[in-house]
Amino acid sequence: MTRPSPRTDIAHEALKQAILERALQPGTKLPEDEIGAHFGMSRTLVRAVLAKLQSEGLVDARPKRTAIVAQPTLAEARDVFEVRRGLEAQAVDLVIKRWKPSFGAELEGLVREEDAARERHEEHVAGRLGGEFHIRLAKLSGNVLLERYMSELVTRCSLILAVYGSPHSHDHSGPNEHIEIIAALRAGDAAKAIALMDAHMSAVERRAMHDTDPAGAALGDVLARYAGAIAAPAGAIPLKRKRTR
Amino acid sequence: MTRPSPRTDIAHEALKQAILERALQPGTKLPEDEIGAHFGMSRTLVRAVLAKLQSEGLVDARPKRTAIVAQPTLAEARDVFEVRRGLEAQAVDLVIKRWKPSFGAELEGLVREEDAARERHEEHVAGRLGGEFHIRLAKLSGNVLLERYMSELVTRCSLILAVYGSPHSHDHSGPNEHIEIIAALRAGDAAKAIALMDAHMSAVERRAMHDTDPAGAALGDVLARYAGAIAAPAGAIPLKRKRTR
DNA sequence: AATACCAAAACTGTATACATGATTGACGGA
DNA sequence: TCCGTCAATCATGTATACAGTTTTGGTATT
C-alpha cells in the first residue's frame, strides 16, 4: 500500500500509530535521544519527524522543552470537528458533481473491509478504515488539497476520539451511516448526503465528547487535561505556580 | 505586530515575502548553503525553514535535489481556489453567528488601510492587506484551525496570483467587494454574504487565471510551467529526456 | 554537429559535537 | 512541615564534518 522505505517515514508512521492507538498516552514525553536510539537514527532526523507530527497536531513541541504527545483541549476538538464538517460537505458536493459508478464500488469496498475487521474484533484496524472512508471520499472529489486537509482532520479526530472517547466505544455505528451516505451519493442527492454526513459527524463528535465525564475517566487525567486549557479563574489566589512535574 | 525574534522566523518571513513579491521567481533554486550564508545560520536551520515553506506550498523540495520556488500548476491553482471558496463560506457563516459590532469596525479598518496603501501606490502592501482581510475574517470565526487553514490558503493564492496574474493587475476591485461583504455580514444576511464572497473569489480567480495567455506572458515561461503538469501526449516520440538544465 | 561519457563541482543526507537552557531532587532555613 | 535554593542531570539549539548523489561542462566519439 505504501512504501515507507525511508527510515524517517517508518518512524513517523510508527509514532502516529502508537499515538492514535493510545499506546502512547497524551502528555507522554518524546525525547529526541530516546526515539532516535529506538529507530536507529540521529536526532537530526527525529527532529524532522517530530516537526511533522506537530504540524499534524499529534505532538506538542514547544521551543525548549521535550516534545510530548498532544493533549487536545475541548476547544481544539470543537474547532477540528467544525472545520471537518465544512470540508466533508464540500467533498460530498464535489464528489456528486463528478460521480461515476465505480466510486460507489470503491467506497463500499472500504465499508466491507471495515465490517470484516470489526467482525474479527480488530478495533484499531476498523477504526482506521472508518477514517479511510472519509479520506477516500475526499480523494474522489478530485481535489488533492482537499484530500490532504481531510487526511489531517481525520487524523486529528482520531486522536480526539482516543483522548476523550471512552476506551472501547470505538466508532460503532460508523459502517451503517457510511452505507447510507453512499446511497445518497449514488442518487445524486447532495442535500441528503450532506445532511447524513453532518449527522454522522455529529454522532462521532457526540460519541467522542459526551463520554468525557462518566465515572470511567480518572480524575487526575481529566484535571491534567484541563489544566492547560482553562485560564485561572478571575479571583483565584495568585498562588505562585508550582512547577508542573 | 509579530515578534520574529528567532533567526529562523526572520528567514522564513523574508523568503515568504520575496517569493510572494515575485522577487524570487518560480523555479529559482534555493541552495541551503547560500541561504544559510545570507542569513547567517547553518544548513540545519535553513532546512527547517525550507521544510516549513514547502508545507505552505511556497517551495518545492524534492528528495535529493535543490529546493526551488514552487511553480503551482493550473490544476493546483484550481484546487486551492476551490477549497478556499468552501472555507470562506464557512467562515462567513460562523462569523455571522457570533457577530459583534466591533467586528465590523475591525474589518473596515483593514479595508481603509488597504485603500490608503493603494493610494500610496504600495501595491505589495495593499495586496498583503487584502489577504489579511480574509485571514482576519477567519479569525473572527473563533475557530483557530479555520484561521490557520485560511492563512495558508491566502498565501497560496497570493503565489498563484503572482505566477499567473499579469504583472501589475494587482487585486484592484478588492476593497469595494470587501466593503459589500462587511455590509452583508452586518445585516446578518449569511446567504448574501456568502454569495458576495463567492463572487469575490471568482473575480480574484478569474483575474489570476484569465490573464494567463495574453501576449504578455513569455512563451518559454508558459511552456516550462506546463511541462511538469501535462503528461506526454499519447503518441509523442519517447524522446530520451534531455537534462533540464 | 550532435551525442555519449566522465570527472569536477555543487548540494543534500545524516551523524555528531559542543553550548545552553530546563528539570529534578536533595539540602537547609523559616 | 513547607518552601526556596542550587547543583547535577537531562534534553534541546545549532554548527560542522563527512559521505553520497546529482548536476555541470568539457572532451572524445560517431
Side-chain angles (χ1 to χ4, degrees):
Chain A
M1 184 184 245
T2 49
R3 57 134 177 67
S5 173
R7 301 215 296 305
T8 158
D9 287 359
I10 295 178
H12 176 265
E13 205 55 34
L15 285 170
K16 182 171 166 181
Q17 289 297 334
I19 292 172
L20 292 184
E21 295 187 358
R22 220 164 156 48
L24 291 174
Q25 300 207 357
T28 305
K29 289 208 286 189
L30 303 171
E32 297 172 0
D33 286 336
E34 203 170 327
I35 296 178
H38 192 296
F39 289 105
M41 57 201 213
S42 75
R43 281 180 49 213
T44 307
L45 297 192
V46 174
R47 209 142 223 290
V49 170
L50 289 177
K52 190 166 183 185
L53 287 170
Q54 177 174 37
S55 84
E56 294 171 326
L58 295 183
V59 156
D60 187 11
R62 330 176 66 154
K64 268 168 180 176
R65 13 192 69 72
T66 306
I68 60 175
V69 176
Q71 305 172 291
T73 64
L74 286 173
E76 281 162 5
R78 185 186 59 80
D79 286 359
V80 171
F81 275 106
E82 197 166 78
V83 172
R84 179 167 170 185
R85 268 211 283 279
L87 287 191
E88 291 276 11
Q90 196 179 9
V92 164
D93 213 63
L94 292 171
V95 169
I96 285 185
K97 279 187 186 144
R98 57 205 302 279
W99 184 262
K100 289 178 196 163
S102 66
F103 289 5
E106 200 171 330
L107 293 171
E108 279 168 350
L110 276 171
V111 174
R112 266 198 299 278
E113 278 189 64
E114 183 182 346
D115 274 335
R118 208 176 300 285
E119 207 70 36
R120 279 177 275 124
H121 300 290
E122 297 174 2
E123 296 301 332
H124 286 313
V125 177
R128 188 162 50 228
L129 287 167
E132 192 67 33
F133 175 88
H134 295 270
I135 296 172
R136 189 64 63 92
L137 188 72
K139 185 184 202 128
L140 292 178
S141 76
N143 187 317
V144 178
L145 188 60
L146 180 56
E147 183 191 349
R148 230 200 57 197
Y149 280 168
M150 187 65 75
S151 295
E152 189 177 314
L153 287 168
V154 168
T155 299
R156 286 174 111 109
C157 283
S158 297
L159 175 61
I160 291 167
L161 219 71
V163 173
Y164 290 103
S166 55
H168 288 291
S169 84
H170 255 295
D171 196 342
H172 186 245
S173 61
N176 296 328
E177 294 174 10
H178 287 174
I179 288 289
E180 291 184 62
I181 291 171
I182 295 174
L185 291 175
R186 218 177 236 129
D189 189 341
K192 185 174 182 188
I194 290 177
L196 283 169
M197 178 63 84
D198 238 62
H200 176 45
M201 282 298 102
S202 295
V204 173
E205 184 171 3
R206 195 169 340 104
R207 223 169 294 142
M209 312 308 278
H210 202 66
D211 290 359
T212 300
D213 284 335
L219 175 61
D221 259 33
V222 176
L223 289 182
R225 193 167 298 141
Y226 276 64
I230 299 180
I237 303 155
L239 185 55
K240 191 189 283 182
R241 195 182 197 55
K242 188 128 188 217
R243 23 180 171 167
T244 21
R245 237 188 218 255
Chain B
M1 187 183 249
T2 49
R3 56 135 178 65
S5 173
R7 300 217 295 307
T8 158
D9 287 358
I10 295 178
H12 177 266
E13 205 55 34
L15 284 171
K16 183 169 165 184
Q17 288 297 334
I19 293 173
L20 293 183
E21 296 187 357
R22 221 166 156 48
L24 292 175
Q25 300 207 359
T28 305
K29 290 209 286 189
L30 303 170
E32 297 172 1
D33 285 337
E34 203 171 327
I35 296 178
H38 193 316
F39 290 104
M41 58 202 214
S42 76
R43 281 181 50 215
T44 308
L45 298 191
V46 174
R47 212 145 222 289
V49 171
L50 288 176
K52 189 164 185 187
L53 286 169
Q54 177 174 36
S55 84
E56 295 171 325
L58 295 183
V59 155
D60 187 10
R62 329 176 68 152
K64 271 170 178 175
R65 13 191 67 72
T66 306
I68 60 174
V69 175
Q71 305 172 291
T73 64
L74 285 174
E76 282 163 4
R78 185 187 58 82
D79 286 359
V80 171
F81 275 105
E82 196 165 77
V83 173
R84 180 167 170 185
R85 269 211 284 278
L87 287 191
E88 292 276 11
Q90 197 179 7
V92 164
D93 214 61
L94 291 172
V95 168
I96 284 185
K97 278 186 187 144
R98 58 206 301 279
W99 183 261
K100 287 178 198 163
S102 66
F103 290 6
E106 201 171 330
L107 293 172
E108 281 168 346
L110 277 171
V111 174
R112 266 197 298 277
E113 279 189 62
E114 183 183 346
D115 273 336
R118 208 176 300 286
E119 206 71 35
R120 277 176 276 124
H121 299 290
E122 297 174 3
E123 295 301 330
H124 286 313
V125 176
R128 187 161 57 232
L129 286 167
E132 192 67 33
F133 175 87
H134 294 270
I135 296 172
R136 188 64 63 91
L137 188 73
K139 184 183 203 128
L140 292 178
S141 78
N143 188 316
V144 179
L145 189 61
L146 179 57
E147 183 191 348
R148 229 200 56 197
Y149 281 167
M150 187 63 75
S151 295
E152 190 177 313
L153 288 169
V154 168
T155 299
R156 287 173 110 109
C157 285
S158 296
L159 174 62
I160 292 168
L161 220 71
V163 173
Y164 290 105
S166 55
H168 288 293
S169 85
H170 256 294
D171 196 341
H172 185 246
S173 61
N176 297 328
E177 293 174 13
H178 286 174
I179 287 290
E180 291 184 60
I181 290 171
I182 295 175
L185 290 175
R186 216 175 238 132
D189 189 340
K192 185 173 182 188
I194 291 177
L196 283 170
M197 178 65 83
D198 239 61
H200 176 46
M201 283 297 102
S202 296
V204 173
E205 184 171 4
R206 194 169 343 104
R207 224 168 294 143
M209 313 306 278
H210 201 67
D211 290 356
T212 300
D213 285 335
L219 176 62
D221 258 33
V222 176
L223 289 182
R225 193 166 298 141
Y226 277 62
I230 299 180
I237 302 155
L239 184 56
K240 188 190 285 182
R241 193 182 200 58
K242 188 124 189 223
R243 23 182 172 164
T244 21
R245 219 178 236 264

